Amino acid sequence: MNDLVLMGLEGAVLVTGLAVLLLDLWITPDQRRLLGFGAIATLGVIFCASFAYLPDGTQYAFGGMYALDEFALYFKRFFLIAGMFVLLLSVGTSHAEEGGQGEYLSLSLFALAGMMFCASAANLALLFVSLELVTVTFYVLVGFQRRRLASLEAAIKYLIIGALSSAFLVYGIALIYGATGTLDFRQLASLPAAVMESRILWLGALFLFVGLGFKMAAVPFQIWAPDVYQGAPPSTTAFLAVGSKAAGFVLLLRVLHQTLPVLETRWLHLLMGVAGLSIAYGVLCAIPQRSLKRLLGYSSIANAGYLLIGVATLSAAGATAALYYLAGYLYTVLAAFIVIAVVLQHTGRDDFDSLAGLHQRSPLLAAGLTFAMVSLAGIPPLAGFFGKFLVLKAALAAGAEHPGFYWLLGIAVVGVVISLYYYFGVVRAVYWGTPGEQPAGPIRVEWPLQVALYLAMVAILWLGVMPNQITNLAELAVKSLGLR
Amino acid sequence: MEAVFFYLFAAATLLCGFLVIANPFSRNPVTSAMFLVLTIVSLAGLFVLLHAFFLAAVQVLVYAGAVMVLFLFVIMLLDLQAEERRSFKKLALAGGGLAVVVIALLAHAAVRESPLGTAAPPMVEGSPRALGKLLFTEYLLPFEILSVLLLVAMVGVILLSRKEAK
């Protein structure tokens, strides 16, 4: 019974998903929105309930399969917030979808449950199964608008590359099991040093990193990101950009620091290299983009790089910075995708030209997009600035030990400067773009989306101005991971 | 003796798996499906060598039997024609080859450096009873999550393949 209480949050999300799936059979299409709001409200309740958990250290359930600590809770709350926004976005744009709204809601909820299980995975078997739950659900969610060719193409690409990465992941797990004879994180952490030096274990861990790198969209596992981001429905893309990426990071941090600490020194250069390459690739490829979703795809790769710098420092400060960065990134990306979803609905396109005159057609959308872009560019006082500041500060501190971090710092700063160009290109298109022949009537934003956009903007500002509350939570989370 | 069979089955698995996706003699999807059956049967042979008899039997019954019959039904119902011969990009081929070589080198280096077989012998001798016990005790949570995964797959397939309401 205690086991079920410990995984109550995931259980509640799963039950909500099943209830939505069933209720959808009986209700009329007009009541679909109510169903969506009901699901969002339930997630809100679950979010509040997460504060009732006060893990004293790490608590285990299901024979050590499942771990609940502050670190897991931080990410669970993160995923729940992301889930609420994504559902709100999907309800707000529902009439443009091609039916199956109830199924979309329940599939999103199942993906959310999968991500929350990722946050608590303490066994490679659970890690694999929960990651697969997330990935398989996203195959469907990406191809949801199946009459749009772009959506189908994105789904096929995601399916093939996702299957390849899953193959690497499961092969890596097999190698780790072959070298150590266990899948359990605690047993792996307490292995004798001789086993830890096994090259087969390292190879398995490397393959594991490939699987997680795919989720994080870090170079060289990034090839799917721009196409899938562009083709998928906006609410799916937002969930993919935020939830899927965070699922990769939560597992990376846990494996790196809690499970196989031997990797910390082994992977230092790997992590630094991947971080630098991700920033360089994402930033350089984003310059010529004209499609906003594609631009955010490349920006997501660059952001994976900044997050990996925080992880690579192997310090509590770096991990805290990464956790804060993710929170800021969450609201920023959600604000951007709410705007993109509305613009897509009205113009059918998401290129820069369709943004022209947006500040006259809907000042709210223009403000939301500007907020998101300014935050992504890292301009104070918004959340994006403080995230980058914390990451770079941690890298500077780590540079005392490994001079390589100074190079990484250089790449990161140059990346920020270059990214100013294309983020402000978006802002320029919104305020100073010359509208073509398109109808320039005002855009009416539905109230759920208005609420979501206002909330996201307030959160971006609040996180940037008063970062202490989140950094305190992040520090607590990192401490429970055993990092000093 | 076991080693001989291992290499035999492993080679058969690799060869048949390759022929599923890139058969130089036939572009017919049915041929590919048949080679997939052979791949699965060779894999079952590998399971037998690992003393996982139950898994081997299930592998043949469920995958080579039921799933593959479904595959063939779909292929024949869709009336797929022999696929057109695609020209491969040289760069893509070189990239793929390079990736395989690098992974093979890594694996070789890993196996050479650290001896195999240091791990504890398997806990299960592959009887259904022991397997079921493990699934419902130690691996209960992943097992239950898999049921959600199957539900998701089912809902997804229906969503993506149903006819329009109007």
Side-chain angles (χ1 to χ4, degrees):
Chain A
M1 194 58 210
N2 190 31
D3 287 1
L4 288 179
V5 173
L6 276 183
M7 61 152 270
L9 298 176
E10 285 88 349
V13 172
L14 279 180
V15 170
T16 315
L18 289 174
V20 169
L21 197 60
L22 278 178
L23 283 175
D24 190 50
L25 294 175
W26 284 292
I27 59 171
T28 58
D30 310 336
Q31 294 168 325
R32 290 262 154 79
R33 283 171 83 94
L34 283 180
L35 189 65
F37 291 131
I40 295 164
T42 318
L43 285 189
V45 172
I46 298 172
F47 178 75
C48 295
S50 79
F51 288 94
Y53 286 85
L54 297 167
D56 186 20
T58 312
Q59 286 178 297
Y60 289 93
F62 294 97
M65 182 72 61
Y66 176 101
L68 191 76
D69 49 14
E70 285 290 344
F71 180 70
L73 275 176
Y74 181 91
F75 273 93
K76 277 176 216 226
R77 288 169 194 149
F78 175 93
F79 291 133
L80 278 168
I81 293 178
M84 280 190 274
F85 272 97
V86 167
L87 291 193
L88 214 59
L89 185 53
S90 122
V91 171
T93 54
S94 60
H95 50 86
E97 303 274 356
E98 307 181 8
Q101 186 57 26
E103 285 87 347
Y104 189 92
L105 292 177
S106 62
L107 284 178
S108 303
L109 287 168
F110 290 140
L112 174 62
M115 291 170 193
M116 289 165 71
F117 274 121
C118 283
S120 273
N123 187 301
L124 287 170
L126 183 60
L127 178 152
F128 179 67
V129 168
S130 45
L131 262 188
E132 279 308 278
L133 177 58
V134 176
T135 316
V136 171
T137 316
F138 269 117
Y139 296 152
V140 184
L141 291 180
V142 167
F144 202 78
Q145 296 173 322
R146 65 199 162 104
R147 273 186 295 179
R148 269 182 60 231
L149 210 58
S151 183
L152 282 182
E153 185 194 329
I156 294 286
K157 276 186 179 149
Y158 192 58
L159 173 70
I160 291 176
I161 301 181
L164 184 66
S165 86
S166 293
F168 270 103
L169 186 68
V170 78
Y171 192 32
I173 292 173
L175 285 174
I176 294 175
Y177 184 72
T180 62
T182 179
L183 295 171
D184 188 86
F185 281 8
R186 273 183 297 175
Q187 286 176 21
L188 280 171
S190 59
L191 283 173
V195 182
M196 284 287 193
E197 291 300 308
S198 159
R199 301 293 194 274
I200 296 177
L201 175 64
W202 295 355
L203 186 65
L206 189 65
F207 283 1
L208 194 70
F209 182 71
V210 174
L212 298 182
F214 163 78
K215 295 260 118 207
M216 298 184 281
V219 175
F221 321 109
Q222 87 298 353
I223 203 77
W224 57 277
D227 292 340
V228 175
Y229 277 42
Q230 191 181 20
S235 45
T236 305
T237 314
F239 211 10
L240 202 61
V242 174
S244 190
K245 191 187 284 295
F249 274 100
V250 65
L251 289 172
L252 177 66
L253 281 168
R254 204 182 272 286
V255 168
L256 192 60
H257 296 303
Q258 219 170 34
T259 313
L260 295 167
V262 63
L263 295 175
E264 285 186 354
T265 46
R266 294 278 153 208
W267 275 9
L268 180 66
H269 294 111
L270 176 74
L271 289 171
M272 285 168 69
V274 170
L277 282 176
S278 298
I279 294 177
Y281 180 91
V283 164
L284 291 178
C285 290
I287 296 175
Q289 300 309 324
R290 301 295 295 166
S291 151
L292 202 49
K293 274 161 101 184
R294 230 180 145 70
L295 177 78
L296 283 171
Y298 284 110
S299 138
S300 145
I301 298 170
N303 279 301
Y306 287 107
L307 284 161
L308 275 171
I309 293 183
V311 177
T313 58
L314 302 174
S315 61
T320 310
L323 260 58
Y324 175 87
Y325 196 112
L326 268 175
Y329 184 68
L330 164 82
Y331 293 111
T332 307
V333 166
L334 287 171
F337 274 103
I338 292 168
V339 177
I340 291 175
V342 179
V343 171
L344 257 180
Q345 226 174 15
H346 277 262
T347 63
R349 298 182 305 162
D350 72 323
D351 53 0
F352 284 16
D353 296 338
S354 67
L355 293 176
L358 189 66
H359 72 292
Q360 282 167 345
R361 303 179 67 191
S362 167
L364 172 65
L365 289 183
L369 195 58
T370 309
F371 251 70
M373 289 303 143
V374 171
S375 172
L376 276 175
I379 306 289
L382 300 185
F385 161 74
F386 206 72
K388 285 203 170 69
F389 172 74
L390 283 178
V391 165
L392 297 185
K393 201 175 108 187
L396 199 62
E401 275 184 57
H402 303 280
F405 275 106
Y406 293 128
W407 285 99
L408 212 49
L409 211 61
I411 295 176
V413 171
V414 171
V416 169
V417 173
I418 296 177
S419 71
L420 284 178
Y421 165 75
Y422 53 82
Y423 290 136
F424 278 94
V426 176
V427 177
R428 198 183 56 195
V430 168
Y431 287 97
W432 294 283
T434 44
E437 69 279 11
Q438 24 171 330
I443 297 179
R444 201 178 62 82
V445 187
E446 295 211 28
W447 71 263
L449 294 182
Q450 281 193 17
V451 172
L453 196 51
Y454 276 122
L455 281 177
M457 280 159 66
V458 168
I460 294 173
L461 192 62
W462 180 69
L463 276 180
V465 178
M466 307 223 273
N468 280 348
Q469 271 165 307
I470 298 297
T471 47
N472 286 347
L473 270 180
E475 265 168 23
L476 210 62
V478 168
K479 204 182 276 174
S480 78
L481 205 57
L483 265 174
R484 284 170 309 281
Chain B
M1 192 61 190
E2 254 190 38
V4 174
F5 274 110
F6 170 78
Y7 285 115
L8 205 67
F9 282 127
T13 310
L14 280 182
L15 185 70
C16 295
F18 185 77
L19 288 176
V20 173
I21 51 167
N23 191 336
F25 308 111
S26 155
R27 306 296 297 174
N28 192 336
V30 178
T31 323
S32 286
M34 283 324 203
F35 274 113
L36 190 54
V37 173
L38 278 180
T39 315
I40 291 166
V41 171
S42 332
L43 268 180
L46 288 175
F47 279 132
V48 169
L49 288 179
L50 288 170
H51 295 253
F53 303 114
F54 177 67
L55 268 188
V58 167
Q59 175 92 354
V60 171
L61 279 179
V62 175
Y63 286 98
V67 173
M68 285 316 297
V69 168
L70 212 62
F71 258 59
L72 284 173
F73 260 120
V74 171
I75 290 173
M76 287 172 178
L77 278 178
L78 289 177
D79 191 25
L80 291 180
Q81 303 301 320
E83 214 181 315
E84 276 177 49
R85 217 162 261 281
R86 269 180 312 169
S87 57
F88 287 100
K89 285 186 193 136
K90 284 211 177 70
L91 201 66
L93 271 182
L98 186 71
V100 170
V101 168
V102 168
I103 291 174
L105 282 180
L106 274 177
H108 181 253
V111 173
R112 201 188 48 199
E113 290 277 337
S114 36
L116 285 168
T118 47
M123 291 173 286
V124 203
E125 190 56 19
S127 75
R129 185 189 161 87
L131 195 69
K133 210 168 169 184
L134 261 187
L135 275 185
F136 282 98
T137 54
E138 198 174 327
Y139 293 99
L140 178 66
L141 188 59
F143 185 71
E144 296 297 342
I145 296 177
L146 274 183
S147 61
V148 181
L149 183 63
L150 287 180
L151 177 71
V152 165
M154 211 156 63
V155 173
V157 165
I158 292 170
L159 263 180
L160 293 180
S161 63
R162 70 168 173 197
K163 281 208 175 74
E164 294 301 323
K166 291 150 248 165

